[in-house]
């Protein structure tokens, strides 16, 4: 992987973590950690890997993240 992609991956990871912590107001999105970001070489897609602290609320948290994806994309 190139240095450029690694830098972009880490910047996106940091920014999405900030957006989730400070700007998303959904109470179902709590204790979510962005573990990795994988951006394609043409920068058209990014795959975001997350972990959820509360194992029993994974489904509701993932649904809330999917619902907030448009807002996160706009803020990013």
């Amino acid at each position: 992987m190139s240095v450029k992609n690694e830098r972009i991956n880490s910047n996106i990871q940091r920014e999405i973590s900030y957006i989730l912590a400070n700007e998303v107001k959904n109470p179902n999105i709590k204790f979510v950690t962005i573990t990795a970001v994988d951006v394609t070489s043409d920068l058209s897609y990014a795959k975001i890997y997350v972990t959820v602290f509360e194992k029993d609320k994974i489904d509701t948290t993932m649904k809330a993240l999917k619902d907030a994806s448009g807002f996160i994309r706009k803020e990013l």
Side-chain angles (χ1 to χ4, degrees):
M1 184 177 290
S2 70
V3 174
K4 176 184 172 185
N5 274 2
E6 289 178 16
R7 190 176 70 237
I8 290 171
N9 290 344
S10 67
N11 285 340
I12 290 175
Q13 181 176 358
R14 184 178 60 243
E15 290 299 320
I16 291 178
S17 296
Y18 175 81
I19 291 168
L20 289 177
N22 298 319
E23 297 181 17
V24 174
K25 302 298 183 199
N26 191 333
N28 290 326
I29 301 175
K30 292 183 180 178
F31 303 113
V32 174
T33 304
I34 307 298
T35 56
V37 175
D38 193 16
V39 177
T40 59
S41 60
D42 63 351
L43 306 178
S44 61
Y45 293 101
K47 188 177 279 193
I48 313 297
Y49 298 93
V50 299
T51 58
V52 179
F53 181 70
E54 298 177 15
K55 299 293 184 199
D56 57 329
K57 296 185 179 181
I58 289 177
D59 293 333
T60 58
T61 303
M62 293 306 291
K63 184 180 181 321
L65 283 171
K66 189 170 186 163
D67 292 342
S69 65
F71 174 77
I72 295 167
R73 196 175 294 129
K74 180 181 70 90
E75 290 296 313
L76 187 61

